[in-house]
Amino acid sequence: MANSTVRGALSIHGGNPQFLIEKVIRARIYECLYWKEHCFALNAESIIDKAIELKAIGGVHDRQTPTDFMCLTLKLLQLQPEKEILFEYLLAEEFKYLRALAAFYIRLTFRSMEIYELLEPLMKDYRKLRIRQVGGYTMTHFDEFIDQLLTEDRVCDIILPRLTQRSVLEETEGLPPRKSLLDEEVDAEKEQDEGRSEAGSEPGAKRQRMLSRTPSRTPPSSRGSSPDLRRRRSRSASESTDGGRYMSRSPSRSRSHSVSGEEGDTRKRYISRSPSVSPDRELAALEAEERIDGDV
């Protein structure tokens, strides 16, 4: 009874669901220890706990021993859970091996149209998956695993049912064309640019653009410079002009330096030992002496 399909199960692809796994592998699953210990009396709810505990995917490993992933796949084929339950498996993003198990079961049992609609969105998942096979473990990514399910004929040592080409489904059943992730990013960027342009068409944004286009009155030399840098430039300019000015070696004869009573005149005055007297002053001195003599 443990190896039989649940009562009332529907035939898949014209036969017993368990027959989707090859007879040799199916017989080894019935004989393996994991099937006998952990897969007995499982249902659609309790199988989730076992799927969460998975550490790898794969078909058979050393000595043709089936993996735990393949044992749970056969158990799902026996249980034949409803589609709503499988959708919940796919929505459990935090449990990647549960998603991988549900995706593998969907590829085995669902119609081609539903397979493309359900599995292609999963290619956005780039998490790593461990594959157990003959010789040890290898690494892959979730999107690579989904791509193998959609493009290859044999995955996890199981021959997959024939899948109708996507182009045929687009012509006959109206399957929408596949949209690349790069195209989605380009469309998202276009939407952002359109949103910015719409926001820029507002009156305040127009005024801001006009203000940004008006030339600044600040001289080009001082634009974008800090106050300290301006101060240094003005100081260097003044030093350069003072340094280029011609300074006479002889003392200046300006009136500010010749007057003895002015403040700030710190230089010593030059006094001649034989002062010269003008003729007018001599005549005035003689007249003064004559007056003095005449009065006496």
Side-chain angles (χ1 to χ4, degrees):
M1 295 294 292
N3 299 336
S4 60
T5 307
V6 66
R7 182 178 297 178
L10 302 175
S11 62
I12 297 177
H13 301 298
N16 191 333
Q18 293 191 74
F19 293 169
L20 293 173
I21 296 180
E22 300 174 8
K23 184 177 180 180
V24 177
I25 298 177
R26 188 170 69 249
R28 291 183 180 274
I29 291 174
Y30 293 152
E31 296 174 359
C32 73
L33 189 62
Y34 183 84
W35 175 266
K36 296 178 180 179
E37 289 185 356
H38 300 280
C39 297
F40 180 77
L42 287 178
N43 54 29
E45 182 179 357
S46 59
I47 199 174
I48 297 176
D49 299 331
K50 299 299 179 181
I52 291 173
E53 296 174 358
L54 289 176
K55 303 298 181 182
I57 62 175
V60 295
H61 53 95
D62 298 333
R63 298 181 181 179
Q64 298 299 314
T65 303
T67 60
D68 301 346
F69 179 82
M70 190 55 57
C71 294
L72 294 181
T73 301
L74 181 59
K75 194 63 182 180
L76 280 178
L77 292 173
Q78 285 185 354
L79 297 174
Q80 204 176 59
E82 299 178 358
K83 291 184 178 181
E84 290 76 9
I85 298 177
L86 292 172
F87 296 158
E88 294 296 329
Y89 292 170
L90 293 178
L91 293 177
E93 298 181 0
E94 62 272 18
F95 305 116
K96 56 184 179 181
Y97 288 105
L98 176 62
R99 284 187 110 187
L101 180 64
F104 189 70
Y105 177 81
I106 289 174
R107 175 63 181 87
L108 290 174
T109 59
F110 279 35
R111 296 171 54 250
S112 299
M113 185 78 172
E114 297 173 335
I115 291 173
Y116 284 112
E117 293 176 348
L118 293 175
L119 297 189
E120 284 182 349
L122 299 180
M123 297 186 71
K124 297 180 181 179
D125 193 344
Y126 306 111
R127 289 177 292 181
K128 293 182 179 180
L129 292 175
R130 191 185 304 179
I131 303 176
R132 189 174 186 181
Q133 55 189 1
V134 179
Y137 290 90
T138 57
M139 297 297 296
T140 186
H141 295 82
F142 201 95
D143 59 325
E144 295 178 0
F145 176 67
I146 299 298
D147 184 71
Q148 291 176 359
L149 294 177
L150 296 176
T151 57
E152 298 184 7
D153 297 331
R154 191 179 187 91
V155 178
C156 295
D157 300 321
I158 298 297
I159 298 177
L160 301 177
R162 184 180 179 277
L163 186 65
T164 307
Q165 294 184 359
R166 202 180 197 288
S167 58
V168 176
L169 294 177
E170 291 179 2
E171 295 177 358
T172 58
E173 299 190 17
L175 180 66
R178 182 180 175 182
K179 199 170 186 179
S180 175
L181 297 180
L182 296 177
D183 295 338
E184 293 180 0
E185 293 180 359
V186 172
D187 294 341
E189 292 179 357
K190 289 182 179 179
E191 291 179 358
Q192 292 179 358
D193 295 339
E194 291 176 359
R196 292 173 184 172
S197 61
E198 290 177 358
S201 61
E202 298 177 358
K206 288 184 178 179
R207 182 175 179 273
Q208 186 67 24
R209 289 204 307 270
M210 292 179 64
L211 291 176
S212 62
R213 291 177 183 175
T214 54
S216 176
R217 296 183 180 179
T218 310
S221 59
S222 61
R223 290 179 185 175
S225 60
S226 60
D228 297 336
L229 184 59
R230 296 173 189 170
R231 208 175 296 119
R232 291 178 184 176
R233 289 179 180 175
S234 60
R235 189 181 303 168
S236 62
S238 61
E239 290 177 356
S240 62
T241 53
D242 292 342
R245 187 183 299 167
Y246 174 75
M247 302 297 293
S248 176
R249 296 183 180 179
S250 60
S252 175
R253 294 183 180 181
S254 61
R255 296 181 61 185
S256 61
H257 294 290
S258 62
V259 180
S260 61
E262 286 183 349
E263 295 181 0
D265 187 11
T266 56
R267 295 178 298 173
K268 294 182 180 181
R269 296 176 60 194
Y270 175 77
I271 302 175
S272 176
R273 295 181 180 179
S274 58
S276 59
V277 181
S278 61
D280 297 336
R281 290 184 179 181
E282 290 180 358
L283 181 59
L286 292 174
E287 290 179 355
E289 289 178 358
E290 290 176 357
R291 291 176 184 174
I292 292 173
D293 292 340
D295 293 338
V296 175

